[in-house]
Amino acid sequence: MQFTLTLAAISALVASSAGHSMLAKPSPRGNTKWWGTCAAGAGCKGPCDSPKADSPFNSIYNPKTYLQRGQELEVEWKRLNHPGGFVRLAIVPFNQSDSWEAFNSNVLKYTCYETNCGPSDPSDSSFGYLNGPGSSPCTTTVTVPTNIPDNTAITLQWIWFGGGVYYAQPDTSFGEYYSCSDAIVSGGPYSDEKPVATFQGGDVTYPNSDVCKYWGSNKVGDCNFGDRYPTPVDGDLLSQSLEPCMRTPVTKGAPYGFDSGSSNSTDSSSAAPVSHSADGASSSSAAPQTDAGSADAPAPADSDSETESPSEPASDNVIPAPVYSSASEEPANDSTSVEAPAPSYSAVADYSVTESASKCIPRPTNLY
């Protein structure tokens, strides 16, 4: 009976999840090649789900989203049956949104992927503690920077990395997923001060803490798969992606560059990357597991006890943004980035969007 239930759970997870995650709110650019998603393992290398030239923002018929400086913007994504990992949020000028360097230099926030969401059935431990299916919405907020001039077209980048349980394999990590959303900033208090990146810890497994549950690597770029692309084979669904990225036990910690105060953070070098054949399809022989530096998730409560529901995430702690001291420490995807200087800002007078002004369609600007 137990075998039947486990098999049914695996079948449900595989059927409902082909390895995908994307931004839900604000509306993402999307794409047609990958049905809206942008997975590094499938060949979509970011930094956005589509380049700025293909963004719906360019169309005069596409309604524009207006934001104000200092506004708390709600960001939402669906869990889509995937547990763990981190979300990184960054904002750059729209005209720099094809540049990895620009996004990496303007990170606003890191948070846990399951910041306030979790599995549909917390008692389902088929794939590990709190790793079961569930597609509830996950949300966080990010403050629109106050050093953006009026009528500036901007791009919000969303990245998911460090997620796990690829195709019902509890010891595997996903590659990175990217989404972007475009908007126009006008109004609100202005300041020359550039915001400092923050990390908001706490997820369904480790609520009210300064850590997140994750697999593989806690560093953006480690699961971008570099210049490798899959070679799809007809009838072989798994050949459409280079995933899984790494084979490693679940662990906990903060994103790279932040100190969680815990000794449980895993160096990605201790995780075994999954080998792939020369044509890009996954190899049938899995790389061995490694336990170095890992920490198991907390054991589930007794079956007759009440399961603790996900808690609200802890408040933000301001921590200096990650600093890469050498080229070897830079994210792997920096090697393919477009050279672009970090945005510079100049003071402008406050501007309130009037009803008549909101009907206009500002063009992307070079000011920001």
Side-chain angles (χ1 to χ4, degrees):
M1 181 64 176
Q2 179 63 36
F3 173 77
T4 303
L5 291 175
T6 301
L7 182 60
I10 293 175
S11 299
L13 183 64
V14 172
S16 62
S17 169
H20 55 278
S21 193
M22 62 190 297
L23 181 68
K25 295 178 183 178
S27 298
R29 289 180 181 178
N31 57 56
T32 55
K33 184 174 182 179
W34 293 283
W35 303 95
T37 63
C38 181
C44 184
K45 302 297 185 175
C48 292
D49 35 0
S50 59
K52 67 177 185 287
D54 296 336
S55 172
F57 186 80
N58 294 306
S59 171
I60 61 173
Y61 303 105
N62 184 68
K64 301 298 185 286
T65 297
Y66 282 83
L67 306 173
Q68 287 195 337
R69 292 181 290 268
Q71 176 181 337
E72 289 297 311
L73 176 65
E74 183 176 69
V75 181
E76 178 184 311
W77 58 95
K78 298 297 191 295
R79 184 174 178 270
L80 295 177
N81 302 309
H82 304 317
F86 306 92
V87 164
R88 192 189 86 170
L89 301 172
I91 286 181
V92 303
F94 174 79
N95 61 10
Q96 293 185 26
S97 60
D98 286 343
S99 167
W100 267 111
E101 181 180 352
F103 281 115
N104 289 342
S105 299
N106 291 276
V107 177
L108 297 177
K109 183 177 183 177
Y110 293 85
T111 191
C112 301
Y113 181 74
E114 296 177 286
T115 180
N116 55 2
C117 57
S120 300
D121 181 4
S123 65
D124 182 354
S125 59
S126 301
F127 311 109
Y129 179 59
L130 295 177
N131 293 342
S135 294
S136 59
C138 314
T139 62
T140 190
T141 59
V142 65
T143 304
V144 178
T146 57
N147 60 340
I148 302 176
D150 284 323
N151 290 324
T152 297
I154 59 93
T155 300
L156 169 72
Q157 181 200 46
W158 176 96
I159 301 179
W160 173 49
F161 63 105
V165 192
Y166 179 75
Y167 274 97
Q169 302 174 74
D171 63 342
T172 54
S173 71
F174 280 90
E176 295 171 7
Y177 283 71
Y178 316 111
S179 285
C180 285
S181 181
D182 304 309
I184 297 168
V185 173
S186 281
Y190 183 87
S191 170
D192 285 324
E193 185 176 357
K194 181 178 179 179
V196 178
T198 63
F199 167 50
Q200 182 181 38
D203 59 16
V204 64
T205 305
Y206 301 102
N208 303 314
S209 70
D210 59 353
V211 298
C212 304
K213 174 173 67 179
Y214 74 95
W215 281 258
S217 175
N218 62 349
K219 181 180 177 183
V220 171
D222 280 354
C223 281
N224 179 265
F225 300 98
D227 59 357
R228 294 188 295 131
Y229 293 83
T231 304
V233 177
D234 289 342
D236 183 359
L237 182 62
L238 296 182
S239 70
Q240 297 178 11
S241 176
L242 296 173
E243 294 172 311
C245 176
M246 298 181 184
R247 193 169 294 279
T248 174
V250 63
T251 187
K252 65 178 180 179
Y256 176 80
F258 293 84
D259 182 8
S260 66
S262 169
S263 61
N264 295 318
S265 295
T266 298
D267 184 342
S268 62
S269 62
S270 68
V274 177
S275 59
H276 298 278
S277 58
D279 63 1
S282 297
S283 170
S284 59
S285 59
Q289 294 186 21
T290 174
D291 294 324
S294 66
D296 294 332
D302 294 337
S303 58
D304 58 350
S305 64
E306 184 175 341
T307 303
E308 187 173 304
S309 60
S311 304
E312 287 297 319
S315 59
D316 287 355
N317 295 314
V318 177
I319 306 174
V323 176
Y324 305 109
S325 58
S326 65
S328 62
E329 292 181 342
E330 293 181 1
N333 49 29
D334 272 2
S335 61
T336 59
S337 66
V338 179
E339 289 293 329
S344 58
Y345 313 105
S346 58
V348 296
D350 284 347
Y351 172 82
S352 299
V353 179
T354 63
E355 182 177 355
S356 58
S358 66
K359 296 179 181 178
C360 299
I361 306 175
R363 296 295 186 266
T365 176
N366 291 321
L367 290 177
Y368 158 52

